[in-house]
């Protein structure tokens, strides 16, 4: 079965040294040209894939994504360099645990995380939550690792604010813990007890909870309770990648396949070396673990590192301008129709990029936003925007568009609205 549960801080660092030595020429690895570009026929492929569009071949409709980094649409598109590095990663066998340790150290250096912090690549932010909490519960105790989610002998409570509950806390509940839900500072103090394993923070809910991101970690430290922050969709800004470690959070989760445009089945677990090590012990490739189902491949692991490198090197201001200009192009076209108005907004937290809200006078243009969205979806090419049901509007972002797709959206949205104009 090959379980290696002898993890210690020293072996963590030791296997790192061995691996660094084995990586003979990393620079060559990272400067290789992409094998092919998405959307173009891929060289020698015959049979499936020979047209260059596998989805067309399967009869599955591809969409122009004006909604954002939605997992149900496939998240984001990787850069060609990420695909190229994944292809390089696919050419060799390697011990996954050694690779995780080496990549984690590299990531911690790239992000200039505080000393004593490292990282691992997980199968996504959700996987990081489950493995991270499992590690806190089990430590490096082999019996506990095999036993979980039966928490006999372990701590079993995780404190969370009521407004921070969301579908992703299912990943926490998978470990067998009980969520202790609180609202006020007083309730928090009363909830803390010797059975408290962790205090969880959902970063997108920061504004909604009574206890904010900095106070949450401060209280936890006073009681020596590990903290976790789910910051899955909270880049940009890029600084969030190190802000929460600097605030003192013990474990931090990010999605790899959202704005960072890493592999779709990848995420980052950043945190204290001991806790990240325990998370790894609860994760694939180790068997009889809760995280065995959260496999992350060698290809995703190196692809995630490359995506992060590219993301850090980006000109984020220039990108924001480009995204804004795409929205303005669409606005200029549809605003020529009587009754149509547009406005711009940037969500404070999560998907912190330019968005546009599109409204129209439904006396003049007799179609609801939901129906307009449906027509766009059925169009060719198919377009997906967000129908803001309650606000009676459509909204969209442009950061997941491929070059030129803003013009297609402008034309098709204009055509749909015009067709229903009085
Ligand atoms: C997307 C998301 C997740 C899950 O991330 P994956 O990388 O898809 O596993 C978790 N929490 C929040 C708040 C998210 O937005």
């Amino acid at each position: 079965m090959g379980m290696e549960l002898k993890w210690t801080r020293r072996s963590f660092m030791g296997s790192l040294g061995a691996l660094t030595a084995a990586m003979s020429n990393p620079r060559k690895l990272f400067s290789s040209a992409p094998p092919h570009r998405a959307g173009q026929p891929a060289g020698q492929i015959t049979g499936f894939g020979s047209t260059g569009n596998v989805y067309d071949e399967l009869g599955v409709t591809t969409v122009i994504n004006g909604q954002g980094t939605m997992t149900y649409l496939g998240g984001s598109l990787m850069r060609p360099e990420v695909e190229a590095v994944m292809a390089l990663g696919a050419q060799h066998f390697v011990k996954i645990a050694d690779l995780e340790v080496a990549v984690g150290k590299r990531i911690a250096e790239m992000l200039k995380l505080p000393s004593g912090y490292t990282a691992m690549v997980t199968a996504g932010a959700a996987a990081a939550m489950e493995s991270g909490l499992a590690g806190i519960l089990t430590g490096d105790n082999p019996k506990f690792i095999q036993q979980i989610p039966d928490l006999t002998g372990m701590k079993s409570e995780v404190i969370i604010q009521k407004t921070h509950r969301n579908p992703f806390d299912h990943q926490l509940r998978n470990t067998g813990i009980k969520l202790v839900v609180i609202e006020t500072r007083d309730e928090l103090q009363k909830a803390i007890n010797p059975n408290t394993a962790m205090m969880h923070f959902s970063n997108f809910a920061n504004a909604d909870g009574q206890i904010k991101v900095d106070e949450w970690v401060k209280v936890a430290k006073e009681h020596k309770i590990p903290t976790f922050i789910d910051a899955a969709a909270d880049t940009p800004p890029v600084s969030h990648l190190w802000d929460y470690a600097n605030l003192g959070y013990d474990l931090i989760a990010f999605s790899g396949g959202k704005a960072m445009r890493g592999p779709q089945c990848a995420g980052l677990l950043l945190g204290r070396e001991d806790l990240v090590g325990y998370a790894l012990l609860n994760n694939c490739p180790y068997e009889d673990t809760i995280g065995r189902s959260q496999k992350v491949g060698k290809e995703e692991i190196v692809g995630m590192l490359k995506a992060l490198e590219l993301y850090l090197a980006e000109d984020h201001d220039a990108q924001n301008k480009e995204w804004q200009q795409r929205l303005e192009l669409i606005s200029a076209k549809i605003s020529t129709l009587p009754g149509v108005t547009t406005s711009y907004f940037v969500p404070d937290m999560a998907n912190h990029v330019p968005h546009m809200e599109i409204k129209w006078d439904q006396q003049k243009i007799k179609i609801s936003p939901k129906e307009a969205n449906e027509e766009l979806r059925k169009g060719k090419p198919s377009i997906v925007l967000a129908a803001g049901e309650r606000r009676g509007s459509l909204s969209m972002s442009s950061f997941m568009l491929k070059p030129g797709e803003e013009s297609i959206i402008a034309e098709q949205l204009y055509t749909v609205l015009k067709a229903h104009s009085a």
Side-chain angles (χ1 to χ4, degrees):
M1 181 163 91
M3 276 260 274
E4 289 175 71
L5 291 179
K6 287 171 297 195
W7 183 86
T8 62
R9 184 170 304 221
R10 264 180 69 210
S11 64
F12 198 82
M13 304 315 278
S15 46
L16 169 70
L19 199 93
T20 316
M23 277 175 62
S24 55
N25 193 348
R27 183 155 296 153
K28 185 159 164 263
L29 183 74
F30 287 120
S31 63
S32 176
H36 68 91
R37 296 191 67 101
Q40 289 175 3
Q44 312 93 322
I45 297 179
T46 56
F48 182 59
S50 58
T51 67
N53 189 328
V54 288
Y55 304 114
D56 275 356
E57 288 178 33
L58 291 167
V60 181
T61 309
T62 59
V63 304
I64 291 180
N65 177 8
Q67 196 176 7
T69 52
M70 311 303 294
T71 299
Y72 87 99
L73 289 177
S76 59
L77 301 181
M78 292 183 286
R79 290 184 178 76
E81 296 96 316
V82 174
E83 291 179 59
V85 165
M86 289 177 78
L88 292 175
Q91 291 177 12
H92 304 279
F93 292 100
V94 63
K95 277 178 81 177
I96 296 296
D98 290 351
L99 177 63
E100 283 281 22
V101 171
V103 164
K105 169 127 196 294
R106 178 75 73 90
I107 289 172
E109 285 166 8
M110 284 161 70
L111 298 178
K112 300 190 176 65
L113 295 183
S115 88
Y117 273 63
T118 189
M120 68 178 275
V121 177
T122 60
M129 287 166 66
E130 190 169 315
S131 303
L133 172 56
I136 287 173
L137 296 168
T138 65
D140 57 2
N141 182 322
K143 184 169 155 281
F144 286 169
I145 289 170
Q146 290 174 349
Q147 184 188 305
I148 195 171
D150 168 359
L151 298 181
T152 307
M154 293 171 245
K155 295 182 179 182
S156 64
E157 292 180 7
V158 170
I159 303 176
I160 187 169
Q161 294 182 77
K162 190 174 175 189
T163 48
H164 288 228
R165 295 281 328 264
N166 72 82
F168 292 105
D169 60 46
H170 200 132
Q171 266 57 56
L172 303 178
R173 288 180 276 125
N174 279 352
T175 64
I177 58 91
K178 177 171 155 251
L179 284 177
V180 178
V181 181
I182 60 105
E183 284 189 85
T184 65
R185 290 180 176 80
D186 194 40
E187 285 170 7
L188 173 58
Q189 292 295 343
K190 286 192 182 123
I192 293 171
N193 76 78
N195 201 19
T196 305
M198 185 179 96
M199 285 169 58
H200 187 76
F201 199 87
S202 305
N203 203 38
F204 71 89
N206 186 43
D208 304 328
Q210 293 186 23
I211 305 164
K212 305 302 180 199
V213 65
D214 46 349
E215 186 180 348
W216 191 254
V217 68
K218 194 166 152 272
V219 173
K221 287 216 178 302
E222 281 162 17
H223 295 273
K224 298 194 166 56
I225 297 169
T227 43
F228 195 113
I229 184 163
D230 170 11
D234 295 337
T235 53
V238 63
S239 63
H240 280 178
L241 286 166
W242 47 85
D243 284 346
Y244 307 117
N246 288 334
L247 268 183
Y249 277 86
D250 298 293
L251 288 174
I252 305 139
F254 287 100
S255 276
K258 290 181 180 166
M260 285 192 272
R261 297 175 58 189
Q264 185 48 201
C265 301
L268 292 175
L269 178 65
L270 313 177
R272 267 168 43 192
E273 259 175 27
D274 55 346
L275 298 183
V276 172
Y278 303 150
L280 183 53
L281 291 180
N282 276 280
N283 211 75
C284 191
Y286 299 115
E287 294 172 351
D288 201 351
T289 61
I290 194 169
R292 177 60 185 80
S293 55
Q294 302 175 336
K295 183 187 280 183
V296 57
K298 56 196 181 303
E299 300 83 2
E300 281 87 18
I301 295 171
V302 294
M304 187 63 238
L305 175 59
K306 186 67 191 173
L308 185 64
E309 182 190 68
L310 294 168
Y311 185 68
L312 291 173
E314 237 160 45
D315 182 342
H316 298 275
D317 289 338
Q319 267 203 326
N320 263 309
K321 274 199 196 115
E322 156 81 25
W323 294 334
Q324 178 66 26
Q325 280 165 4
R326 291 178 187 171
L327 296 176
E328 287 173 8
L329 180 140
I330 297 166
S331 173
K333 175 78 187 176
I334 59 177
S335 298
T336 59
L337 286 168
V340 175
T341 54
T342 61
S343 58
Y344 304 102
F345 65 99
V346 177
D348 278 344
M349 192 67 80
N351 302 307
H352 182 72
V353 296
H355 284 62
M356 179 165 69
E357 182 163 28
I358 305 162
K359 281 190 167 167
W360 56 88
D361 179 346
Q362 287 186 39
Q363 304 292 29
K364 291 186 176 140
I365 301 174
K366 295 185 188 308
I367 184 172
S368 73
K370 199 167 161 234
E371 290 160 348
N373 208 29
E374 211 35 51
E375 285 200 18
L376 289 170
R377 225 177 247 265
K378 287 186 187 141
K380 280 193 169 60
S382 174
I383 295 170
V384 178
L385 307 182
E389 307 280 310
R390 258 175 279 144
R391 296 200 290 189
S393 62
L394 283 179
S395 67
M396 67 170 296
S397 61
S398 63
F399 71 136
M400 288 296 121
L401 298 182
K402 293 191 267 183
E405 287 183 336
E406 63 274 22
S407 304
I408 301 174
I409 295 178
E411 287 302 323
Q412 286 193 204
L413 185 53
Y414 178 88
T415 305
V416 167
L417 295 178
K418 172 112 181 155
H420 295 273
S421 292

